[in-house]
Amino acid sequence: MLALAGRVQGNTVLLENESIERYDGQQVIVTFLNYQQNERIKPLDFDSYVTPTERGQRVERYMEEIRGNDRV
């Protein structure tokens, strides 16, 4: 399996700094990904995946309780 980056110019696919000579004569499947190279991916909003809990709202006190009793 091989994946290469390139762009289409007319009826030709131009590869960026790649050589595919060893695949000469092989059957291939070409997949076109329609994306803009300068397009920024919107960052994930991790807060939308979190379910607020009572423990989470009082995390400092909870951690103090856990760590406060770890010494003998």
Side-chain angles (χ1 to χ4, degrees), residues 5 15-16 20 29 35 40-43 53 55:
L15 301 176
E16 298 173 2
I20 56 172
I29 297 173
Y35 69 94
R40 298 279 180 191
I41 297 173
K42 190 164 80 170
T53 63
R55 182 189 299 173

Side-chain angles (χ1 to χ4, degrees), residues 2-3 26 29 62 64 66:
L2 175 71
Q26 299 290 320
I29 297 173
Y62 174 74
E64 171 109 10
I66 288 187

Side-chain angles (χ1 to χ4, degrees), residues 24-47:
D24 190 27
Q26 299 290 320
Q27 260 189 331
V28 297
I29 297 173
V30 178
T31 303
F32 291 95
L33 303 174
N34 294 326
Y35 69 94
Q36 297 294 326
Q37 290 181 340
N38 296 334
E39 185 176 310
R40 298 279 180 191
I41 297 173
K42 190 164 80 170
L44 287 176
D45 178 19
F46 290 107
D47 292 333

Side-chain angles (χ1 to χ4, degrees), residues 59-72:
V59 70
E60 294 298 326
R61 192 173 112 213
Y62 174 74
M63 293 307 293
E64 171 109 10
E65 287 176 13
I66 288 187
R67 292 180 179 155
N69 297 324
D70 67 346
R71 305 283 187 256
V72 178

